[in-house]
Amino acid sequence: MKTVAMLLYPDFLLLDMAGPLEVFSIANRYLDPGQRYEITTVGPDEDLTRASNGIKVQPDLTLAQADGAYDLLLVPGGPGAYTTQHEGITAWLRGTAHKARRYGSICTGAFILGHAGLLDGHRVTTHWHYTERLLKAFPKAQVGTDQIYIHDRQLITSGGVTAGIDMALSIVAEDHGRKVALDVAKVLLVIMRRQGGQAQFSPLVAAVATQASPITRVQHFILENLEQELTIERLSGLAAMSGRHFARVFTREVGMTPMEFVQSARIDRARSLLESTELPLKTVAYKSGFGSVRHMRVLFSERLGRTPTQYRQQFT
């Protein structure tokens, strides 16, 4: 019997809890009694714990009753993970998580692990919208921005929301083989391994600041003129800087080179057109500044793990 514990806290995301636990529950249908998962929930106290959608859950155990010696200990995400400090929970995690054979988080539950000091020195991930925030909050962690889930030694973390199901399926496959995990995936009507990572859902270019500076002016110019030829010489001229100095300042302030920004912005423009219009690929490529469908297809495959046609199909 393998024990799985889900740690609850006020304002957690119910799907982050229910999705992975359903994977383990359904896996039990295909396992002998001695191999099954024993599922439990742990809360700060005996009171009902309210999820972010208003539903209240009664924990099986309190922190005082749970010793942490589980085969798998998980923390779901939710607004309460990154808006509130849960000192009692993080103190409990700090003292007991290492008793678990494996521990981890779904979505933004990584923030609670981070506050307990459990992300330092590990490769981790979270919901694509919060990866930069996680990196800034816990600089000793190696935050991945695209992976659906990351398994690093004793720690396993997943991307946003339904990625917790992918992570749980990978754990079932590790524990009991791919056949059992595939059977569970079929029951849930999900695929065993989805194509691409979180990048296919997240914008590659963050929102540009509104305050005027030479670099933000260039960023806005790029976003408004993607169909034009955008060279370092032209962009540095707009910023009234030499090409080398401009590239250095741009990279420092934006976190990517000017050409990486241009390329990412063009991919984002193409994605928006593919999602919301039925324009031919040739027109999408032109309006996004790629010049050709072939060039757009190559960059989509490199950055998103799928072709423009495959990307469009998932939104139609």
Side-chain angles (χ1 to χ4, degrees):
M1 186 73 71
K2 294 186 182 298
T3 53
V4 177
M6 185 71 72
L7 181 58
L8 307 182
Y9 55 88
D11 222 15
F12 72 94
L13 196 70
L14 191 65
L15 185 55
D16 279 6
M17 178 200 78
L21 292 188
E22 285 296 344
V23 170
F24 299 120
S25 175
I26 293 171
N28 285 343
R29 304 179 190 178
Y30 301 94
L31 299 171
D32 294 332
Q35 296 179 311
R36 292 173 183 167
Y37 293 98
E38 180 181 350
I39 299 169
T40 190
T41 53
V42 180
D45 48 46
E46 295 179 350
D47 294 338
L48 294 170
T49 304
R50 186 187 291 272
S52 59
N53 62 3
I55 292 177
K56 297 178 181 178
V57 178
Q58 178 67 63
D60 297 311
L61 300 172
T62 67
L63 294 178
Q65 296 167 335
D67 63 6
Y70 301 102
D71 287 291
L72 178 64
L73 173 61
L74 291 173
V75 182
Y82 51 86
T83 59
T84 307
Q85 291 283 347
H86 303 279
E87 295 181 1
I89 288 175
T90 53
W92 181 84
L93 279 169
R94 195 177 297 116
T96 62
H98 294 291
K99 296 180 184 178
R101 187 165 72 89
R102 293 166 297 193
Y103 62 91
S105 61
I106 301 99
C107 194
T108 54
F111 284 86
I112 291 181
L113 294 182
H115 287 301
L118 298 173
L119 300 184
D120 294 354
H122 285 85
R123 293 185 301 109
V124 302
T125 192
T126 188
H127 190 291
W128 61 263
H129 188 71
Y130 296 92
T131 51
E132 184 176 355
R133 183 170 175 175
L134 188 72
L135 180 60
K136 290 180 178 178
F138 309 107
K140 294 182 181 179
Q142 303 168 39
V143 180
T145 60
D146 186 35
Q147 295 92 328
I148 296 296
Y149 58 86
I150 295 178
H151 200 159
D152 184 11
R153 291 164 284 172
Q154 194 180 355
L155 175 65
I156 184 167
T157 54
S158 84
V161 194
T162 58
I165 295 175
D166 298 73
M167 182 182 77
L169 287 170
S170 75
I171 292 170
V172 171
E174 178 182 304
D175 290 343
H176 302 289
R178 178 177 171 80
K179 174 64 168 58
V180 174
L182 184 58
D183 288 337
V184 175
K186 288 178 179 178
V187 171
L188 292 171
L189 296 181
V190 299
I191 57 176
M192 264 294 289
R193 184 180 292 275
R194 68 175 93 185
Q195 290 183 320
Q198 292 195 83
Q200 60 187 299
F201 304 103
S202 63
L204 301 180
V205 170
V208 177
T210 55
Q211 67 265 27
S213 74
I215 298 302
T216 57
R217 285 199 301 271
V218 170
Q219 286 180 282
H220 284 291
F221 179 85
I222 291 170
L223 295 175
E224 294 166 4
N225 298 276
L226 286 173
E227 70 284 359
Q228 299 185 23
E229 184 178 7
L230 299 170
T231 64
I232 287 290
E233 291 74 16
R234 185 178 186 186
L235 298 179
S236 61
L238 292 171
M241 299 179 185
S242 68
R244 180 174 298 180
H245 181 60
F246 166 74
R248 185 164 52 246
V249 174
F250 190 101
T251 302
R252 184 180 67 241
E253 293 190 11
V254 180
M256 61 180 77
T257 68
M259 290 301 100
E260 287 172 341
F261 183 88
V262 170
Q263 185 184 91
S264 296
R266 283 175 169 157
I267 292 175
D268 281 350
R269 167 76 63 80
R271 289 165 62 180
S272 177
L273 293 172
L274 291 168
E275 292 169 13
S276 59
T277 75
E278 297 182 359
L279 291 172
L281 292 184
K282 186 175 182 180
T283 304
V284 172
Y286 170 77
K287 287 180 173 291
S288 304
F290 286 112
S292 70
V293 173
R294 181 180 178 278
H295 186 209
M296 180 172 69
R297 185 182 298 115
V298 169
L299 291 179
F300 260 66
S301 297
E302 289 178 353
R303 297 293 297 276
L304 305 181
R306 53 186 52 209
T307 66
T309 299
Q310 291 171 328
Y311 185 87
R312 169 174 269 170
Q313 287 172 346
Q314 70 183 351
F315 292 99
T316 58

